[in-house]
Structures are given as structure tokens and as C-alpha cells.
Amino acid sequence: MGKQGSEKFTPDLTAYRKAILLHNITFDEIDALLKEYAELSSDSKPAVCEFFYTSLPDDPSWIYLEFPDFPSISYHLIFWHYLNLLVWFGQKSDKGFCLSIPKDQTKPLFLSIIDKENPFGDSCIGIYADRDFYFEIPSETFKWGPAPTAPFDFMAFLKGTFYFDTRWIPKISQCKWHSTQVTLTFPV
């Protein structure tokens, strides 16, 4: 995953199940961080939302946090909050990533991680539609990377980088869920 390119764009993840997967973080820390994040939200359009989260049964050190849908909010703003929350949780979690799975199986997967090369810690890198991207949160700058020479292997990347097995995700339906309700705000 890299930072080259110049096209401005943000992926529309409206028809996706959006998750943030976090390692070595407690439910209490997630609850506190969500409430703190919401308190800092100061735009004029409020949206009450509920975040659901659970630990994965095969490895309870991983937490699956479901990012809520916001039907009346622009997908650009949702994308910004989605990646900003990954960075926000990075202050307590030792590793984490965003993984979005399309509800329509003909669309591509979405994966994003915190850009560890950025000393400010306020950007993410990822892959969407078989293209690398870079997203800087404060400036909302999205840049495509070079066109790939081979298809990206999501499963191998997650296993090799995070020791995460994607086969754990379908088992979340068997889990006990926790939730935190907060009010986020968005620009009008």
C-alpha cells in the first residue's frame, strides 16, 4: 500500500458493512473513546447513533466494532468519520484496521490501516477496487496509488501483518454484543 497518485475521491461505502477491528483494547476503553470522540464533534447536524461491538470467539483479544449507517449523511462525511475513528482508537489499541464488506458481492472489498510512516498519525493507507490509496484526515485529501500489477490478497495481508484470520468474522453472529450510543455531528 502506498501514497502515490493525485486523483481526489472518497469511496462510497454506503452499501457496505463497515467494521473497525481492534486488538488489545477493552470494552470499557471503546465505550470511553466513543463518548470522548462524540464530545469533540462540533458540527451543526446531529446524528444519534449506536455502535455495536464484540470480541471474536476464536481470538478474544480482537474486537469487532460495527460502524453504523447514516442514511441522511453524505458518504464523504461518513468516510471521514470511519477512518478518523480508526486513528482515534489507535491511541489505545496496539493494532487495528477498517474492513468493509459489500452487501452486494459484485463490489470490491475495502481495507484501511493507520499510516505508520506519518509522524503525525493522522492519515490512513489502504486498498479499494484493487487500487492503493492514501487518505489524510485533517485535509480530507484522498490520493490513489499506482495501478496494481497483480490482484491484492486481503486474507494473506491480514494474516501476515496482523495475524488476523478473516474466517473469524462470520462467527460474530454467535457473540454477545455490547453497545454505546452517542451523538455525532456533521456539517450541513
Side-chain angles (χ1 to χ4, degrees), residues 10-188:
T10 55
D12 182 353
L13 302 177
T14 305
Y16 282 70
R17 186 168 186 181
K18 296 172 283 300
I20 301 173
L21 290 119
L22 304 161
H23 189 256
N24 282 338
I25 189 169
T26 67
F27 293 141
D28 288 340
E29 289 170 324
I30 288 173
D31 180 70
L33 286 167
L34 282 170
K35 289 175 180 173
E36 185 180 340
Y37 183 83
E39 287 173 13
L40 296 173
S41 188
S42 63
D43 288 309
S44 56
K45 184 175 183 178
V48 176
C49 56
E50 193 159 11
F51 287 86
F52 291 92
Y53 43 97
T54 188
S55 57
L56 297 178
D58 289 317
D59 187 345
S61 66
W62 279 99
I63 303 295
Y64 179 99
L65 176 93
E66 187 83 23
F67 189 85
D69 287 326
F70 297 93
S72 64
I73 306 295
S74 163
Y75 72 88
H76 300 285
L77 301 172
I78 293 168
F79 183 83
W80 184 89
H81 274 290
Y82 183 41
L83 295 189
N84 196 31
L85 269 172
L86 172 64
V87 170
W88 186 255
F89 286 119
Q91 62 186 305
K92 292 286 184 183
S93 176
D94 65 351
K95 23 182 183 177
F97 57 93
C98 290
L99 180 65
S100 296
I101 300 169
K103 294 172 186 172
D104 171 0
Q105 296 300 313
T106 63
K107 295 186 180 199
L109 290 172
F110 172 90
L111 174 68
S112 185
I113 62 174
I114 297 170
D115 180 7
K116 298 292 185 185
E117 292 181 18
N118 177 349
F120 301 110
D122 61 0
S123 61
C124 295
I125 54 175
I127 190 156
Y128 175 71
D130 286 328
R131 292 283 306 269
D132 293 350
F133 69 83
Y134 170 79
F135 184 68
E136 186 175 278
I137 293 163
S139 66
E140 300 178 39
T141 302
F142 186 98
K143 296 179 184 178
W144 282 118
T149 57
F152 183 77
D153 188 339
F154 285 88
M155 292 175 65
F157 176 80
L158 292 173
K159 190 135 185 114
T161 304
F162 295 105
Y163 307 106
F164 184 88
D165 190 336
T166 55
R167 293 176 294 183
W168 298 339
I169 294 174
K171 297 179 183 178
I172 62 170
S173 62
Q174 307 161 8
C175 297
K176 179 183 176 197
W177 290 83
H178 300 263
S179 68
T180 298
Q181 187 177 64
V182 296
T183 300
L184 298 181
T185 61
F186 298 87
V188 177

